[in-house]
Every structure is written in C-alpha cells, then in structure tokens.
C-alpha cells in the first residue's frame, strides 16, 4: 500500500535471495550463537587431534630422534616408508610379522564378535524372555570393566597350571602353556591332519618368501598365545555391539514381522528377508567399528604379552610404540602408524562399497539424470 | 532451507577462516618456547643457575624400599646444601623420559639403564660429567665402560648386579653332593646338573634370552658385540660353541627354560623347586625372602668356561640431562648419592651392590652370602650399549626363546646381519 503523502516504504518484504538484514534479526543471532558453542570443541579437537596427527605425519618423513623440535630435524623423504615395505631388513620383517598377526586376529575377532553380538541381541529381543534387564546388564558388563584389569585376570587364568588348564584336565585334555606357546594354530591343524610336519616344514613353503617373511611364516595362523587375546577381546566387545543390534531390532515394528509370518514365511525366511535387511546400517556400523578397533589393538598386548612369545602377539600399534619409545626411532614408528591408517581406510572403504544399497544408488542415479535432462531442456528450450 | 541458502555463500569462507585461525594459533603456541636446544655443552662446562637449585629426579623404583631410600638420601643432600629435590617414581620411565626429551624439559637427574644408554647418549640427551667427579677412578672399570660411548664416559654407575649360581641346599645334599662338588668348569656343571635331575626336578633352570645365555658366551671368550670397536662379533666360533653347550644341556633334559616348568623366570622355577639350581642375580635375595622364605640355598660363582671366568653385569647410572639448567647442583647431588656409605645404605635397603671399589670390603663384611655376586664385578661383561641395536637385541631374545632345537649358527648369523645393518 502506498500513501502518496508519506515517504515511508510500506512495500512488503520480498522473498528471494537478499543480503542479510542489518542488525541480525532471527537468523544472524542463531548463527553467531552456534559458532560460539561449537568453537571450544573445535579448538580442543584441533589442538589434541588434528595438530598431533599432522605433526606425526611430518615426523614420519624425518629421522627425528626424540630430542627437541621435530620440525627442526632432518627430512628424509619416503625413506621410513621404504624401510617398512621394500628394504630387506629387520624393520620390514618385524612390521610384516605384526601385520600377519593382526590380520589373523581381525579375521577371527570381527566375525566372531559380530555374530555373537547379533545372536545375543536376537535372544534378548524375544518377548518371552524374563529378566531381560538382568541379562542385558550381564552381557554388557565386560565392556564396561577396565581392559587392563581383565587382561591381568586372563593372564592368571591362562597360566600353565591355571584355572583353564585345570578345567580342561577335568575332561581329560592337556592344555597348552597358553601365553608362552608360539606355535601357530594353522601349523598345528595341518600337522594334526597330516598335511605337513611342523618340525620340518615343506620346502616349497619355507624357501620362498614374500616381503621378508617365508610363506610358511605367513600361513602360521594366530599363535596359541594370540588366541587367548582373541578370546578376551571377543568376550569384552560383544556387549557393546549387542546393544547396537538390540536398539535396531527394537526399531523394527512387530507388525512387519507378523505380516511376514501371515504371508507364510518360516522363521528363517523372515529373519533373512525381513530382519537382516533392516539391520543393514547397524551391521555396517558394527563391522566398521570392529575393523577399526581390531586393527589398532594395543592394550591387551601391552599388558599381557608385550609382543611375545617369539613375536607372535606383536601388532602394528604395539610395534610402533616400542620403536618410538624403546628404540628411539620415531620416524619409522610414525610411518608404521600411517601405513596402518591406510590399511584401515582401504578395508573400511571396501566394506562400505560391499554394503552399498544398490536400490538407493539406482534411484539416486535416475534422479540425477532426470534433473540434468530438465536443466538441459530449460537452457535450450524457450527462454522464460 | 531458505536461511541456509541465504547464508551458504557467507558460511564457507567463515568456516575456512576460523579453522585457519585455530591452526595458526596452535602452531604458534607449539612453535615457541620450550623447543630450544639449550643446556650445558660438554665443552663449556656445567650450567648453573642463580640461587638455590630446584632439581627434579625421575627414578624407576623396584619397590617401596628403594623409593624410601632414594628419597631419604636426596632430602639429606637437599638439607645440607640448601637446595630442593623432588623425587618422582616413574610408572614407565622410557615413556616419561621420552616425553621430557621431546619437550625440552626433562628431569635433571634420572636412572639410565645400560640398554638405553647408547640411544640416549647418541641423541645428545645426556651430559657427560663423569670426569668431573673426584671419585671417577673408584668405579669399577667394567661399569664405566658400559656407560662409555665414543671414548667419552658419560655418567656414574649407581650400583650393579651380577649373575651367580644358586643351589638348592636340600636337593644338593639329597644327591649326596658336598661343597667340594660345587662346579668350577663346564664339564663339572653338566655332571652336577645330571646328578641333580630327578623325575620331578630338573638340574638347572636357565632364564630365557641373551641376559642369561650371554654369560656362557663371555666364559668362552666371546660376546655379541665388541664395544671398543663398535662392531658385532656374533659369528665368531667361540659364540657358537657356547650356545651349542647350552643347547646340549637343554636337549639332554638336565637344564630347562622356566616356561617349561610353569615359571615366569629362573627365580620362580628355583623357588617352586622345579629346578635344583638356577642362574640369577642379586635380586634373588629379595625375591626369595619375600616369595619363598623357607627355601634354603647357597650362592656360588658361575663355573669357568674354557676361556676363564665370566658373568654378566646389570647396571644403571645417574644420568644428568643435557638440558638441565643447573647441572652443577645435579653433579653435587650425584656425588652425594655415590658416596661409599650411601651406596652401602642402598645395598642394605634394596639389595644392590655398590659400584665403587672402595666399598667392596665393607659390602662383603656386611653381606658375606653375596661374596659370589660381588666377585663378578672384576670379570663381568656389561650389556650391549651400542646405539640403534634395541630392535636387533629384541629379535635375538625372541629367537633365543626357541633355543631348544634351533639352529645356533642361523641365530648368530641373523644377529650379525641385523646388527651390521643397524650399526652402519
């Protein structure tokens, strides 16, 4: 409405992109407040996470000896990385040994903890189960207890004359000297079924070598000592993942499952075609967290075995620690950490690709194509 | 959506700017101050501050007895000289020292184990002060050699331990052996161990790793490395002979490694009577009186090998940091801590042996049972102290874990190859 007598602008505010109103109004204040709340966390994350990682990346390209400013020490380029993967020597064989140990560890722990967590979550999700709260606490309890305390208890349980061996003796089995036994499980199995003789390994396997370790070494499987750590970790981390699965299962409405049943699906069919697809995002989360956590195992090795016996519980994280603090070879240690990062990144990327939702991707692609086609017709069509 | 569309053009540069600002601030905070390479340089003499010094001492204590003894000694010095000393017990001394060195503000005085001495000295973390002590000549030469790198003696050994042979008195007498049968040669050792081996008890428990088996190498006139020339000598004949001898004892069953009898170390194998004899050091006195007080045992010097007597020394020194602002006060503190009376007090408190030769007579008078240990100070070989060898030595230990049934020559050769690669 315009009034010819006054110069006051009474035209209503126009919608559409326009500069921010002076004095802020609603949007400006919220923006500033948001930044104010987030800045402390950003500072903390930057100082204690981003900066140390960047510094460590720098150290991995130097030969810093632990004294003084790492930015002032000699730049050696990719020497530390080549020492780890291509130069024949003790560092490479140590690193490859640690990768082999950790690979078998991951291979056993991740499927075991995922399957066990899913199984326990399904059990707890039953309507008929009484005292659900008690069982939930009992299964989750090991995750809460300090990993150092549990490791020490396991050391005592698994000594040569400890509780576990006494239990095995009750059923007539002679338990090994668990944490002092460096024999590989695959070697033992092959020996048992007559595939090879552990005392004199077949020439084809012990003569050839890959990256500093003989094929016989690569195929050793986890050692008996490492299986103790595997058992410990599966027992402690199952609880956390069980809770995640449980939350996702409780999200699945009961009538969906009922509908499937009424359509004539058996329990197994309804589990496979209704429950599992619903659990896909949680499964992705559990597997990703599992992969990341298992490739970085350190606490248990530090407390229980310190890499022994015969380097069969050595892991890249622990090796990096000893090379840095005990051997004062900080550049190599930092390089190990970043090679480990690359491995984890690669594996989780592969896993994400495997778990992609193909239908969703197809729909998104169609949308994109439709939008592009529309834009094209708008541009080349009549000017409006 | 409306507001976000409006603000997006302004948001991105703002986000980048604030992140950059944080990074720059943080880097500026890190880049200044404590990273200066300072402290006394050997050539310029020790640094000294103005007024009373406030020193920080970091120790890796074996228990309350050691902590109390060290604190008492440090406080006595502090009172006498009017300075201050703070004694800190480390939970992981290697880690805490590394943090100090990296930050440029390490403790002024700290324990330096012979195994890490080489790396610390080469990195320039230690201040060489031994020649400034009046009593520099009084320390056992073997110990001083352990803390010498490139002909420079860095620090004063604070105490030492040696290996000797512990014999279970009950098993000894049950096998009909007397004092005259205490083994003095390799053949006698084998014979005695065979006689002592029964169905429930092995004759001898040899600890795992180079810190026990190395004694046999010294007895045969060899060792893993030659500290003077700075070269690895593992592939020499006498080393293979020594290892083969030990392997022979293990293969015939008269000797065992502690894990075979469910023990964590030789002392546990000895205390639980899994073996009648063991080769361990001074720490046995404390361990046995705490864990196995009823076991009676005697201590004898290790038997001679073909090349004469030999044993291993384990020692730590009082390290003074090169970055310390008051090295003069630190040297005075170390002098007080290495006085013969003070060393005897430490020996009494936590069972180590004084590193000064002038204290030997008093030590033997006070602890006649430990005469065999301290005699080893004359002919003992200190640990490998060449820099850069830590992973190679760890690899050697892990191979020696499987000594029974291993190929002795390949163990020595792989050590030689790795050591040569690390020492160049």
């Amino acid at each position: 409405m315009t009034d010819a007598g006054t110069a006051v602008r009474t035209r209503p505010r126009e919608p559409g992109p326009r500069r921010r109103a002076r004095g802020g109004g609603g949007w400006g204040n919220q923006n500033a407040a948001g930044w104010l709340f987030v800045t402390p966390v950003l500072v903390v994350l930057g100082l204690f996470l981003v900066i140390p990682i960047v510094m460590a990346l720098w150290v991995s390209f130097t030969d810093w000896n632990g004294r003084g400013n790492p930015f002032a020490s000699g730049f050696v380029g990719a020497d530390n990385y080549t020492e780890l993967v291509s130069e024949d020597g003790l560092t490479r064989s140590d690193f490859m040994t640690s990768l082999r140990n950790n690979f078998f560890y991951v291979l056993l722990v991740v499927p075991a903890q995922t399957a066990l967590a899913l199984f326990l979550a399904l059990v707890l999700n039953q309507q008929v189960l009484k005292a659900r709260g008690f069982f939930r606490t009992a299964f989750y309890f090991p995750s809460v207890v300090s990993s150092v305390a549990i490791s020490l208890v396991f050391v005592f349980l698994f000594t040569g004359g400890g509780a576990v061996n006494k239990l095995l003796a009750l059923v007539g089995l002679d338990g090994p000297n668990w944490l002092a036994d460096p024999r590989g499980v695959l070697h033992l199995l092959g020996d048992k079924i007559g595939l090879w003789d552990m005392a004199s390994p077949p020439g084809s396997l012990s003569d050839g070598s890959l990256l500093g370790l003989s094929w016989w070494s690569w195929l050793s499987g986890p050692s008996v000592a490492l299986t103790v750590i595997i058992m410990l970790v599966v027992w402690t981390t199952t609880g956390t993942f069980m809770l995640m699965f449980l939350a996702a299962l409780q999200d699945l409405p009961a009538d969906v499952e009922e509908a499937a049943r009424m359509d004539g699906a058996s329990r197994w069919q309804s589990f496979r075609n209704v429950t599992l697809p619903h659990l896909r995002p949680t499964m992705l989360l559990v597997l990703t967290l599992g992969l990341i956590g298992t490739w970085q195992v350190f606490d248990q090795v530090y407390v229980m075995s310190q890499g022994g016996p015969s380097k069969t519980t050595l892991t890249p994280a622990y090796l990096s620690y000893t090379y840095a603090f005990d051997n004062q070879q900080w550049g190599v240690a930092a390089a190990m950490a970043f090679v480990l990062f690359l491995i984890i990144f690669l594996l989780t990327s592969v896993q994400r690709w495997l778990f992609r939702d193909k239908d969703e991707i197809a729909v998104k692609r169609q949308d994109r194509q439709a939008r592009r086609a529309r834009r094209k017709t708008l541009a080349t069509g009549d000017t409006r | 959506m409306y507001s976000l569309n409006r603000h997006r053009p302004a948001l991105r540069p703002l986000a980048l700017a604030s992140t950059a600002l944080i990074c720059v601030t943080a880097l500026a905070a890190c880049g200044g101050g404590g990273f200066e390479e300072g402290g006394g340089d050997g050539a310029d003499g020790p640094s000294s501050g103005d007024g009373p010094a406030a020193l920080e001492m970091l120790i890796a204590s074996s228990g309350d007895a050691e902590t109390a003894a060290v604190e008492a000694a440090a406080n006595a010095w502090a009172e006498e000289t009017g300075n201050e000393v703070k004694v800190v017990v480390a939970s992981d001394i290697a880690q805490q020292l590394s943090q100090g060195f990296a930050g440029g503000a390490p403790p002024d005085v700290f324990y330096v184990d012979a195994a890490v001495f080489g790396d610390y000295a080469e990195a320039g973390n230690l201040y060489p002060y031994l020649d400034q002590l009046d009593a520099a000549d009084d320390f056992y030469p073997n110990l001083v050699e352990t803390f010498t790198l490139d002909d420079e003696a860095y620090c004063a050994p604070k105490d030492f331990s040696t290996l000797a042979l512990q014999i279970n008195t009950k098993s000894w007498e049950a096998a009909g052996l007397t004092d005259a049968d205490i083994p003095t040669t390799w053949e006698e050792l084998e014979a005695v161990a065979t006689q002592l081996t029964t169905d429930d008890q092995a004759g001898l428990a040899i600890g795992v790793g180079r810190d026990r088996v190395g004694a046999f190498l010294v007895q045969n006139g060899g060792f893993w490395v030659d500290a003077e020339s700075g070269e690895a000598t593992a592939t020499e004949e006498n080393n293979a002979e020594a290892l083969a001898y030990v392997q022979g004892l293990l293969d015939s069953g008269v000797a065992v490694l502690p894990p075979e009898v469910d023990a964590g170390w030789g002392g546990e194998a000895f205390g639980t009577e899994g073996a009648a004899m063991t080769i361990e050091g001074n720490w046995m006195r404390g361990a046995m009186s705490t864990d196995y007080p009823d076991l009676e045992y005697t201590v004898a010097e290790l038997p001679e090998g073909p090349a004469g007597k030999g044993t291993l020394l384990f020692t730590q020194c009082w390290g003074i940091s090169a970055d310390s602002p008051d090295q003069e006060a630190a040297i005075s503190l170390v002098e007080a801590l290495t006085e013969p009376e003070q060393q005897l007090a430490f020996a009494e408190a936590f069972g180590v042996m004084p590193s000064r030769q002038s204290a030997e007579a008093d030590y033997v008078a006070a602890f006649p049972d430990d005469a065999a240990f301290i005699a080893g100070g004359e002919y003992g070989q200190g640990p490998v102290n060449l820099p850069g060898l830590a992973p190679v030595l760890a690899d050697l230990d892990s191979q020696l874990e499987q000594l029974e049934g291993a190929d002795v020559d390949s163990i020595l050769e792989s050590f030689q190859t790795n050591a040569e690669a690390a020492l160049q």
Side-chain angles (χ1 to χ4, degrees), chain A residues 203-216:
Chain A
S204 55
L205 288 180
S206 57
D207 287 339
S209 75
L210 170 72
L211 292 172
L213 282 188
S214 69
W215 290 107
W216 176 248

Side-chain angles (χ1 to χ4, degrees), chain B residues 117 141 239 251 374:
Chain B
F117 161 74
N239 293 334
D251 286 341
I374 200 156

Side-chain angles (χ1 to χ4, degrees), chain A residues 20-355:
Chain A
R20 259 194 0 233
R22 263 176 305 155
W27 302 117
N29 272 344
Q30 271 197 13
N31 218 26
W35 277 108
L36 193 64
F37 280 117
V38 169
T39 304
V41 175
L42 273 185
V43 169
V44 167
L45 274 183
L47 258 184
F48 294 106
L49 193 68
V50 175
I51 307 271
I53 291 179
V54 171
M55 282 179 81
L57 185 61
W58 168 253
V59 168
S60 76
F61 292 114
T62 68
D63 59 357
W64 188 51
N65 60 7
R67 179 171 171 69
N69 190 352
F71 291 111
S73 54
F75 181 77
V76 293
D79 275 358
N80 292 326
Y81 290 93
T82 55
E83 194 177 334
L84 280 184
V85 293
S86 56
E87 256 173 52
D88 199 19
L90 184 61
T91 318
R92 183 171 78 155
S93 72
D94 275 351
F95 188 57
M96 291 302 153
T97 308
S98 70
L99 284 182
R100 174 204 71 188
N101 294 337
N102 210 339
F103 169 73
F104 284 114
Y105 174 88
V106 172
L107 203 62
L108 285 180
V109 170
V110 172
Q113 74 188 12
T114 312
L116 196 58
L118 180 58
F119 173 72
L120 288 177
L122 287 170
V123 165
L124 278 188
N125 200 34
Q126 302 297 319
Q127 300 288 29
V128 294
L129 185 67
K130 299 277 193 281
R132 215 186 309 178
F134 165 74
F135 282 112
R136 201 168 48 212
T137 315
F139 293 144
Y140 186 57
F141 183 68
S143 307
V144 184
V145 181
S146 142
S147 67
V148 172
I150 295 188
S151 306
L152 288 174
V153 170
F154 266 62
V155 167
F156 283 109
L157 283 180
F158 280 89
T159 54
V164 171
N165 277 352
K166 293 240 167 70
L167 268 178
L168 288 176
L170 283 181
V171 277
L173 291 172
D174 192 17
N177 196 349
W178 294 92
L179 284 169
D181 196 332
R183 298 173 301 171
V185 163
L186 283 184
H187 285 173
L188 283 171
L189 277 176
D191 196 62
K192 266 277 150 66
I193 64 178
L195 204 60
W196 50 56
D197 180 11
M198 270 183 72
S200 52
S204 55
L205 288 180
S206 57
D207 287 339
S209 75
L210 170 72
L211 292 172
L213 282 188
S214 69
W215 290 107
W216 176 248
S217 260
W218 282 108
L219 292 175
S220 70
S223 70
V224 177
L226 192 59
T227 56
V228 175
I229 302 184
I230 289 175
M231 284 188 262
L232 190 168
V233 169
V234 168
W235 182 65
T236 41
T237 55
T238 302
T240 320
F241 297 136
M242 177 200 75
L243 280 191
M244 292 182 196
F245 279 129
L246 196 58
L249 281 174
Q250 289 179 341
D251 227 9
L252 178 64
D255 33 342
V256 173
E257 196 134 355
E258 261 183 63
R261 288 295 175 71
M262 295 221 287
D263 282 347
S266 69
R267 291 195 67 132
W268 171 247
Q269 279 178 319
S270 93
F271 173 71
R272 226 193 120 228
N273 296 312
V274 175
T275 320
L276 270 189
H278 174 75
L279 286 177
R280 188 217 298 272
T282 318
M283 186 74 79
L284 176 66
L285 176 68
V286 166
L287 283 177
T288 306
L289 288 178
L291 272 181
I292 295 176
T294 48
W295 273 104
Q296 293 179 340
V297 59
F298 175 84
D299 294 2
Q300 288 79 11
V301 177
Y302 182 83
V303 173
M304 294 172 84
S305 60
Q306 294 88 44
S310 295
K311 295 188 179 174
T312 52
T313 59
L314 197 59
T315 57
Y318 185 75
L319 188 65
S320 170
Y321 171 80
T322 54
Y323 262 75
F325 287 91
D326 294 339
N327 308 340
Q328 304 289 311
Q329 291 185 27
W330 301 82
V332 172
M336 281 186 205
F338 281 97
V339 173
L340 188 63
F341 161 72
L342 285 175
I343 293 175
I344 297 178
F345 184 72
L346 208 68
L347 283 176
T348 44
S349 305
V350 167
Q351 188 220 351
R352 278 197 66 193
W353 180 81
L354 282 175
F355 269 75

Side-chain angles (χ1 to χ4, degrees), chain A residues 67, chain B residues 39-47 108 110 117 120-122 124-133 147-156 317-323 327 331 334:
Chain A
R67 179 171 171 69
Chain B
D41 178 22
D44 299 342
S47 61
D108 302 280
F110 44 88
F117 161 74
Y120 285 171
E122 173 137 300
N125 295 322
L126 301 178
Y127 173 63
Y129 65 89
L130 186 62
D131 46 1
Q132 295 175 36
L133 294 182
F147 297 111
T148 302
L149 186 70
D150 292 336
D151 289 329
E152 178 138 42
Y154 274 80
C155 51
C317 83
W318 296 108
I320 292 184
S321 137
D323 296 323
Q327 285 160 344
I331 294 177
V334 170

